[in-house]
Amino acid sequence: MIKLASIIREFLKKEKPVDDILFHGTDGTFSLKDINLPAHFGSRGAAEDIGGSRLIKARVKMKNPVRMYDDQIQIWDLDTVGGTLKNDLKVSEDDLYKYYDQYGSEQGLIELLKSLGYDGIVYENRYEDVGSQSYIVIDKSTISVEK
């Protein structure tokens, strides 16, 4: 019975693929070639709440996003989500240090998630457009700009 409960919990944690029109707020120019990853995309309201003089409309397609908790730091890198990676995804402390040492904090998060088979992050937004789903893109191929 315990094994069945464990299997059900794992199944429920699996996120559905994403294929949505989302928004990114910025003050600068925007091109897929030059976008800094990880990049935040969400509802129009979330992008407006973040601010910026331009709203970029994009289709975001993720086949295997991982769900994470939106903490009050609002920064997505190994320094701020290391605990979640260790507790929820069972990433070892050694792997966290390995990716941090090799890539740094932001790129380390991207490379570690990709090595685990994830192509992005989804979370319930607690700060911009509260309650909406927002996404952290870690792979440029998951974004296409809409007109």
Side-chain angles (χ1 to χ4, degrees):
M1 187 64 146
I2 293 174
K3 185 173 182 175
L4 179 58
S6 176
I7 291 169
I8 290 170
R9 265 196 311 281
E10 286 303 311
F11 175 78
L12 292 176
K13 283 192 336 189
K14 178 100 170 117
E15 285 300 313
K16 296 177 185 172
V18 174
D19 185 354
D20 288 324
I21 300 294
L22 300 168
F23 297 87
H24 176 80
T26 185
D27 280 325
T29 59
F30 184 90
S31 76
L32 289 180
K33 183 181 95 173
D34 299 324
I35 190 172
N36 291 322
L37 297 178
H40 177 276
F41 286 81
S43 68
R44 177 184 289 275
E48 289 171 345
D49 286 350
I50 285 175
S53 57
R54 299 180 56 213
L55 279 183
I56 306 303
K57 183 178 177 182
R59 177 169 296 280
V60 175
K61 291 184 178 185
M62 296 178 189
K63 293 180 183 172
N64 192 31
V66 61
R67 178 160 295 276
M68 289 193 179
Y69 181 73
D70 186 11
D71 68 9
Q72 62 255 22
I73 299 172
Q74 297 178 285
I75 297 170
W76 297 92
D77 60 21
L78 284 176
D79 290 325
T80 56
V81 300
T84 298
L85 295 171
K86 286 191 306 190
N87 297 330
D88 294 352
L89 300 181
K90 307 302 181 217
V91 173
S92 73
E93 189 92 19
D94 288 345
D95 280 341
L96 285 176
Y97 285 121
K98 178 179 111 181
Y99 281 89
Y100 187 92
D101 289 345
Q102 187 170 356
Y103 299 104
S105 194
E106 282 187 353
Q107 191 63 35
L109 173 65
I110 291 169
E111 298 302 327
L112 178 57
L113 289 176
K114 285 180 178 181
S115 78
L116 296 170
Y118 297 108
D119 58 359
I121 300 169
V122 59
Y123 64 96
E124 182 177 331
N125 204 319
R126 295 183 23 194
Y127 299 94
E128 303 90 21
D129 194 13
V130 174
S132 67
Q133 298 302 299
S134 287
Y135 305 86
I136 302 299
V137 171
I138 63 170
D139 184 339
K140 292 177 185 183
S141 71
T142 63
I143 315 166
S144 59
V145 176
E146 299 281 309
K147 297 293 177 189

